Amino acid sequence: MDVVNDVYKRGYIPLIDSEKKVDLVSEIKRLKKEKNAVILAHYYQEPIIQDLADYVGDSLGLSRKAAETEADIILFAGVHFMAETAKILNPTKKVILPDLNAGCSLADSCNAEDLAKFKERYPNHLVVTYVNTSAEVKAISDICCTSSNAEKIVQSIPLDQPIIFAPDKNLGSYIKNQTGRDMVLWDGACIVHEAFSLEKLIALYQKHPKAQIIAHPESEAHILKVANYIGSTSELIDYVKTNPNSEFIVATEAGVIHEMQKAVPNKILVAAPAKEDNTCACSECAYMKMNTLEKVYSCLKYELPEIHVEQEIQERALIPIQRMLDLS
Ligand code: 13P
Ligand code: SF4
């Protein structure tokens, strides 16, 4: 099999017959040690991948870990922009992603060419971009943010400075309301967080009247309006841990419930329902779920697919990421 050519066409390496008999979990652990590799996983990954990871976190925590790791190889169990951010922070390290097709609707909604034209319409504005963007978009941004530090980043900008916020209009309008700042918003959204149904959420709440509704700020305004608490994935986890309530309806990608339930085994956690019925009647990110245990294994074994970022873009994209890390 011509692994290298095939992987960039397909996006991942399928298992060959002899590998199908392998105990994947113990082989991944062995390969990790042998290669001095680290697995960084987002909370939206499959539970089995989260349990294998050296670190599980939100986008900010993962960027921090990527910046400080001493491993030779970073296997990023997340989506493309996250692995790319790790590569920007570690240009000399090998960063691998189990499936190159693991994208993001937010990153896809904003390309560098269109953002450059948008900037021309608002020449006095400073550009704050959510980390859910490509390296090229980061390269033309002034400062990055994640959902856990967006408010702090915006507050750090002088009061008379108008801002372009891209690409998430829901997070952007939430931050605009919180801070009262002069912000123009890019028209992008997360397909998962836009899929929550208010009608079904209310019906679910009627069945769980003691529950608190907690939501990620990528959700639409009408969902945020009924939420008792709004926060990033790690903030939502901390909230269920520290809040005395024993029942929560969770409006973010359902993968986060794995970590939450481990932290609060005796509390009732229910995934907020999506508009369209799908198999689990909850919201799952199809991009995040492209990474499977099999792909994690083959990715680590062959050290492919690898993330590459052109040097000039890497150097420019590092500036807004570093500014964010310095501020948070
Ligand atoms: P956080 O984990 O930073 O809250 O981000 C959520 C998300 O949608 C990542 O794609
Ligand atoms: Fe992108 Fe939304 Fe999936 Fe996160 S959950 S990776 S924002 S599509």
Side-chain angles (χ1 to χ4, degrees):
M1 173 172 57
D2 186 350
V3 177
V4 180
N5 283 337
D6 197 44
V7 71
Y8 289 102
K9 243 187 271 157
R10 196 193 296 258
Y12 64 93
I13 306 169
L15 296 191
I16 52 175
D17 281 348
S18 61
E19 291 169 332
K20 288 181 186 155
K21 298 177 192 100
V22 162
D23 175 354
L24 295 176
V25 172
S26 43
E27 266 308 284
I28 291 168
K29 286 183 183 163
R30 189 189 64 74
L31 287 167
K32 209 155 59 89
K33 220 167 162 186
E34 181 185 294
K35 294 171 183 257
N36 187 29
V38 70
I39 298 182
L40 305 182
H42 190 268
Y43 290 123
Y44 297 164
Q45 291 294 286
E46 294 287 358
I48 196 159
I49 298 177
Q50 292 190 42
D51 290 344
L52 257 177
D54 298 278
Y55 176 79
V56 189
D58 69 357
S59 310
L60 179 63
L62 289 164
S63 304
R64 282 204 187 111
K65 281 284 164 195
E68 68 196 29
T69 185
E70 282 176 6
D72 296 315
I73 298 176
I74 301 171
L75 185 146
F76 216 111
V79 291
H80 191 273
F81 77 81
M82 295 179 169
E84 204 174 51
T85 304
K87 182 67 183 176
I88 294 164
L89 286 160
N90 294 283
T92 58
K93 288 193 173 155
K94 189 175 261 187
V95 178
I96 51 179
L97 178 69
D99 191 333
L100 278 182
N101 303 307
C104 169
S105 68
L106 276 168
D108 290 349
S109 77
C110 181
N111 69 45
E113 212 180 304
D114 292 342
L115 181 62
K117 284 189 198 135
F118 196 75
K119 279 173 65 169
E120 280 169 21
R121 283 167 51 199
Y122 302 98
N124 304 323
H125 287 54
L126 196 118
V127 182
V128 179
T129 50
Y130 199 30
V131 280
N132 300 39
T133 47
S134 67
E136 289 76 10
V137 163
K138 290 183 176 83
I140 57 165
S141 303
D142 295 298
I143 188 160
C144 287
C145 70
T146 71
S147 53
S148 55
N149 64 18
E151 194 172 332
K152 189 172 182 182
I153 298 288
V154 166
Q155 297 282 30
S156 75
I157 297 167
L159 277 175
D160 57 351
Q161 171 63 61
I163 295 165
I164 290 174
F165 189 92
D168 188 359
K169 64 177 175 193
N170 293 314
L171 175 66
S173 90
Y174 171 67
I175 300 296
K176 189 175 173 173
N177 284 340
Q178 292 292 105
T179 60
R181 297 298 301 268
D182 179 2
M183 288 164 69
V184 277
L185 308 179
W186 185 267
D187 189 15
C190 161
I191 42 166
V192 178
H193 290 86
E194 281 222 317
F196 294 120
S197 155
L198 181 60
E199 208 184 328
K200 288 187 184 175
L201 179 62
I202 291 166
L204 183 66
Y205 180 68
Q206 280 161 353
K207 286 191 203 149
H208 298 267
K210 290 190 187 137
Q212 284 202 9
I213 297 171
I214 58 171
H216 194 280
E218 286 175 15
S219 310
E220 291 174 290
H222 56 258
I223 299 289
L224 298 182
K225 211 169 168 185
V226 297
N228 299 87
Y229 179 74
I230 297 164
S232 71
T233 49
S234 55
E235 288 167 339
L236 297 179
I237 294 169
D238 286 345
Y239 187 76
V240 301
K241 278 198 229 172
T242 52
N243 188 280
N245 213 55
S246 59
E247 242 177 286
F248 297 89
I249 296 175
V250 184
T252 189
E253 210 271 0
V256 81
I257 292 181
H258 177 62
E259 181 68 23
M260 275 181 187
Q261 201 71 78
K262 280 206 293 194
V264 291
N266 299 322
K267 294 193 179 184
I268 298 168
L269 306 171
V270 191
K275 286 172 202 149
E276 299 295 327
D277 280 331
N278 52 28
T279 45
C280 68
C282 62
S283 287
E284 290 208 327
C285 175
Y287 297 114
M288 286 279 183
K289 268 35 183 200
M290 280 176 179
N291 296 325
T292 59
L293 191 64
E294 288 79 6
K295 290 177 191 169
V296 170
Y297 164 76
S298 58
C299 177
L300 197 52
K301 179 174 174 185
Y302 297 98
E303 299 176 22
L304 286 169
E306 190 181 347
I307 301 292
H308 298 282
V309 181
E310 213 184 290
Q311 190 185 345
E312 195 218 325
I313 298 289
Q314 181 273 329
E315 285 169 4
R316 283 164 49 205
L318 181 61
I319 299 166
I321 298 172
Q322 198 56 58
R323 279 188 188 135
M324 169 187 83
L325 292 176
D326 292 344
L327 265 171
S328 19

